[in-house]
Amino acid sequence: MTFVVTDVCIKCKYTDCVEVCPVDCFYEGENMLVINPDECIDCGVCEPECPIEAILPDTDERADKWLEVNKQYSEGLWPNITTQKPPMPEAEEMKNVEGKFEKFFSPEPGEGD
């Protein structure tokens, strides 16, 4: 089992989760985070830290389509992030928006640490 970040994170990018990750398996895109499923040790400490519930175990059927997105962008495309940063300015207004991947996803990398 591994954990994945879903499109709920897009345009929010809360980073509470990266502070608690013991193996530093989060990677930062321009407007969301992803988890490297090969580095994740399935400890689950990140899941309850996400204030908008954007992190799911891969055993949750809602996580199926996000496993590949997390894998792709965490393998050399986006930089590693291990320290907490402020969320995106529009985070509160965007947290409940549906269909964010199709509307707002950016493949561009974030800054990382």
Side-chain angles (χ1 to χ4, degrees), residues 2-67:
T2 188
F3 285 83
V4 297
V5 180
T6 67
D7 67 335
V8 174
C9 185
I10 295 173
K11 288 201 163 267
C12 292
K13 202 162 72 169
Y14 288 95
T15 56
D16 307 58
C17 52
V18 304
E19 281 283 305
V20 299
C21 181
V23 293
D24 300 335
C25 66
F26 281 88
Y27 292 80
E28 183 183 16
E30 180 178 39
N31 66 5
M32 79 174 287
L33 303 174
V34 293
I35 294 172
N36 183 309
D38 295 328
E39 295 173 358
C40 178
I41 60 169
D42 315 322
C43 67
V45 296
C46 61
E47 185 180 23
E49 292 299 317
C50 182
I52 56 173
E53 300 179 1
I55 300 173
L56 299 174
D58 69 351
T59 54
D60 187 312
E61 63 184 33
R62 297 172 297 165
D64 289 348
K65 66 182 182 179
W66 305 111
L67 186 58

Side-chain angles (χ1 to χ4, degrees), residues 83-101:
T83 57
Q84 190 170 359
K85 298 178 180 181
M88 297 188 81
E90 63 270 33
E92 267 308 298
E93 65 190 60
M94 293 298 295
K95 69 181 182 182
N96 295 317
V97 172
E98 298 284 326
K100 291 198 280 185
F101 189 80

